[in-house]
Amino acid sequence: MADENKDSAARDQVDVRELVAESDMGGRAPSGAVGKALLGVALAWSLFQLWYASPLPYTFGILVFNATEARSIHLAFAIFLTFTAYPAFKRSPRAYIPAIDWVFAAAGAFCAGYIFLFYTQLSTRPGLPTTMDLVVAVAGIVLLLEAARRALGPAMAIVAIVFLVYVFAGQYMPEMIAHQGASLSKGMSHMWLTTEGVFGIALGVSTSFIFLFVLFGSLLDRAGAGNYFIKSAFALLGHMRGGPAKAAVVSSAATGIISGSSIANVVTTGTFTIPLMKRVGYRPDQAAAVEVSSSVNGQLMPPVMGAAAFLMVEYVGIPYTQVIKHAFLPAIISYIALFYIVHLEALKANLSGLPRRGDSTFAQRTTAYLMTVSGFVVLSGIVYWGIGWIKGVFPAGSTYIIGIGLIAAYIGLVWFGSRQPVLELDDPDAPVFELPETGPTLKSGLHYLLSVVVLIWCLMVEELSPGLSAFWATLFMIVVMITQRPLMVHFRGEGDLTASVMQGLRELLDGMVAGARNMIGIGVATAAAGIIVGTVSLTGIGLVMTEIVELVSGGNLMIMLFLVAVISLILGMGLPTTANYIVVSTLMAPVVVELGAQSGLLVPLIAVHMFVFYFGLMADVTPPVGLASFAAAAIARTDPIRVGVTAFFYSLRTAVLPFLFIFNTQLLMIGIDSIPHLIITVVSATVGMLVFAAATQGHFMVRTRWYETLAMFLIAFTLFRPGYWWDMVYPPHVEAPATEIMKVIDAKPADDRLRIWVEGLTMEGKEVKKGVLLPLGPKAPARDRLKKIGLTLVPLGNEVTVGQVGFGSQSEKLGLEPGFKIAAIELEADRPDKEWMFVPVLLLLAIVILLQRARLQAAVKRPTAKAD
């Protein structure tokens, strides 16, 4: 019977891995010369992207590609690999590639590469396409849609087709959404021969940034970092109450940093975590739902965020480091809340943890942990200040000195890891399962963290571009993959040195190929989403969406936000994270900005984009579409719909966050002006989310009663948004005349924002009056600060009007147009800090804790009684 169960589990694991292969990398794996040729194409794509991201083309002056040419080559690789790696239908052959797919692959690659091949000729006839241009454009669109259907499922292709129909049949649409329609020549050239459609910003971001981060994650995973993260999470947390579920949350957060796919994250960590969660007492649907929620949350986790972080850079117009800063706190809060939810589930069911291998005491473990953390803090300080000193003393040779130091640190960490015993996770289905030892496990893979440190250092300290930062981190990972095994063999004094070198090279090749194949879906998704973006710019459908939501919501702000959330959820169904964000941000973000501004809701653009991104991502959890739920259900051997429902319930904390940071942007680390303010914000937000999680679970210290639940919802709301009550007592802003605007901007500190009200006629002849939150950037004279955001103001007597708005500038993104009049400016009122509202709610929380503690103590005295 045990053998049958083991065989069944093995079959389920194979089925799940096939699901991942078909959804993320393509289901075909032909052998022989064809298989090697496809490996060569994938490898060539990775090498091209490394070359394009590196400084080498400019150093040697050869093979220098501009952005448009690079996008064309990027898409050509993606489409070619789509038709060769993804079968057309479920019954299509997997072992070989049919002739028709070779034809589609070649034709698709030619159409995608057409801009690169004929770049000079196309640049001489803008807006005047030839017959050949149109044939290539039509064929390219058709082949791109088919590629999207294969790689992403029917949802993306259907959405793109609907928008294409809208482009050409606008005059036949209902009156509210009708437009004059576009000719074949105008529509196809706009979509395929310009950078407004398929080859637009989204594909550019995929080419410049996303590929390098996906490749870096693939190499890190192939090197063994994914396994290291999972082992470390189990070693640290597996012994706790409900330990496997807590390990699933932490390991999914760690692998989410290097993975751009929620379904791959489910399989990577879920293969171990789900059986072990079931072993300690979680229901199969609960075990699968915890893994799904954790893995999907990985898409919220900086620095990659399912590739959406890089798109936000372009769409919002802020530096990548700012996107990471704004996204970090909500992601961490969401993970802490999920960790707490699985703890509450363990409490309710009285679940235990897994046995340890060692017999160390709690004091010994605590001491070792504190020593390790202290060591990291001290080491970080030495590195930071030491590198700063080196750059100051040896400015010319600092790069070489730091490089030598990095290699020395890497070799030292590999030596340190080689001193540890080789520890592997047991088979999760084995009758006896013991956790790996904490100390040796953590010490064995510290050199993996060094590559992440290189990436973060380049981004945050050196302030290099995301693409160049990822290039240097990837280059370091290549060195790691080639050398780590030979160094381990050398330091341990056992094993075959030549075989270890060859194994490292094979793993490097596998990582490069896997990185390219992981990018197929993202490359096709960003290109297909360009059709939606092109439709919006060609037809003005974005304004129509605003009018429709305004009409349905009746101008009510909360109804409007709820409608946008639901529409984002629907639009996100069946779409991968990247395409999902492009679609919802293109259609829904302008709606929130425009209607919110008319209602007095003035929030930074990043908050709006995070709002629609979060709800688009919730579609990955929501049944009946979420593939992550199907993958987890296959491992848990349970109903995927039930998994999806349970996972959605666990993810309510994620659904609440966007509404909260729209109204309290401090949760996005905006408007925080001191270290104490930062600490108060982080602590209050964390406590608020824990209280909210307990209220939704109906369990805190014991089962909650209805009045305690209401009190906990009130506490959570106030901790997240204290200004709601404070604004009723103290108005948050006071008006100042528009003529004072230049003086006010001069006085504003660096990176502050200014609230202004504008009114006037839009280019469409619509009269508007709305608020705008101007980002002011670094400290500088007022005119320079306005110029940086593309805005010129013209004083006319007692009035100030908008003179010019830069194309593609932040001012244009905020909806400002020439001729608008500055009606008023709003300054922050001098009032007590809104955080004083925390005092009464913390007292209320103390009362709830005392009530629950009394019932808990009573239950302990009467063991047979229920604590309710």
Side-chain angles (χ1 to χ4, degrees), residues 52 101 274 383 588 738 782:
Y52 177 66
D101 283 354
I274 291 175
V383 169
M588 293 291 102

mmCIF file of all heavy atoms in Angstrom, residues 52 101 274 383 588 738 782:
data_model
loop_
_atom_site.group_PDB
_atom_site.id
_atom_site.type_symbol
_atom_site.label_atom_id
_atom_site.label_comp_id
_atom_site.label_asym_id
_atom_site.label_seq_id
_atom_site.Cartn_x
_atom_site.Cartn_y
_atom_site.Cartn_z
ATOM 1 N N TYR A 52 23.855 42.904 -25.145
ATOM 2 C CA TYR A 52 23.120 44.164 -25.257
ATOM 3 C C TYR A 52 23.145 44.955 -23.948
ATOM 4 O O TYR A 52 23.220 46.184 -23.948
ATOM 5 C CB TYR A 52 21.680 43.878 -25.683
ATOM 6 C CG TYR A 52 20.793 45.100 -25.766
ATOM 7 C CD1 TYR A 52 21.033 46.086 -26.709
ATOM 8 C CD2 TYR A 52 19.723 45.267 -24.896
ATOM 9 C CE1 TYR A 52 20.231 47.214 -26.791
ATOM 10 C CE2 TYR A 52 18.904 46.383 -24.968
ATOM 11 C CZ TYR A 52 19.166 47.357 -25.913
ATOM 12 O OH TYR A 52 18.375 48.471 -25.989
ATOM 13 N N ASP A 101 4.871 24.060 -37.809
ATOM 14 C CA ASP A 101 5.399 24.895 -36.738
ATOM 15 C C ASP A 101 6.752 25.493 -37.107
ATOM 16 O O ASP A 101 7.080 26.613 -36.693
ATOM 17 C CB ASP A 101 5.509 24.086 -35.443
ATOM 18 C CG ASP A 101 4.162 23.902 -34.752
ATOM 19 O OD1 ASP A 101 3.177 24.510 -35.228
ATOM 20 O OD2 ASP A 101 4.079 23.162 -33.763
ATOM 21 N N ILE A 274 3.933 20.994 0.866
ATOM 22 C CA ILE A 274 2.537 20.536 0.930
ATOM 23 C C ILE A 274 2.409 19.172 1.610
ATOM 24 O O ILE A 274 1.581 19.000 2.518
ATOM 25 C CB ILE A 274 1.902 20.553 -0.482
ATOM 26 C CG1 ILE A 274 1.742 22.004 -0.948
ATOM 27 C CG2 ILE A 274 0.558 19.840 -0.480
ATOM 28 C CD1 ILE A 274 1.239 22.151 -2.365
ATOM 29 N N VAL A 383 31.695 46.341 5.438
ATOM 30 C CA VAL A 383 31.700 46.369 3.970
ATOM 31 C C VAL A 383 31.293 47.744 3.460
ATOM 32 O O VAL A 383 31.960 48.321 2.585
ATOM 33 C CB VAL A 383 30.758 45.276 3.406
ATOM 34 C CG1 VAL A 383 30.554 45.473 1.913
ATOM 35 C CG2 VAL A 383 31.319 43.896 3.688
ATOM 36 N N MET A 588 -6.994 50.917 -16.442
ATOM 37 C CA MET A 588 -7.611 51.282 -15.165
ATOM 38 C C MET A 588 -6.889 52.369 -14.391
ATOM 39 O O MET A 588 -7.519 53.152 -13.675
ATOM 40 C CB MET A 588 -7.734 50.029 -14.283
ATOM 41 C CG MET A 588 -8.714 48.991 -14.810
ATOM 42 S SD MET A 588 -10.427 49.589 -14.689
ATOM 43 C CE MET A 588 -10.739 50.074 -16.384
ATOM 44 N N ALA A 738 -3.171 80.938 -5.991
ATOM 45 C CA ALA A 738 -2.325 80.344 -7.020
ATOM 46 C C ALA A 738 -1.099 81.187 -7.320
ATOM 47 O O ALA A 738 -0.057 80.659 -7.739
ATOM 48 C CB ALA A 738 -3.145 80.133 -8.296
ATOM 49 N N ALA A 782 12.390 76.972 -8.285
ATOM 50 C CA ALA A 782 11.052 76.513 -8.669
ATOM 51 C C ALA A 782 10.960 76.189 -10.159
ATOM 52 O O ALA A 782 10.397 75.158 -10.542
ATOM 53 C CB ALA A 782 10.019 77.573 -8.284
#
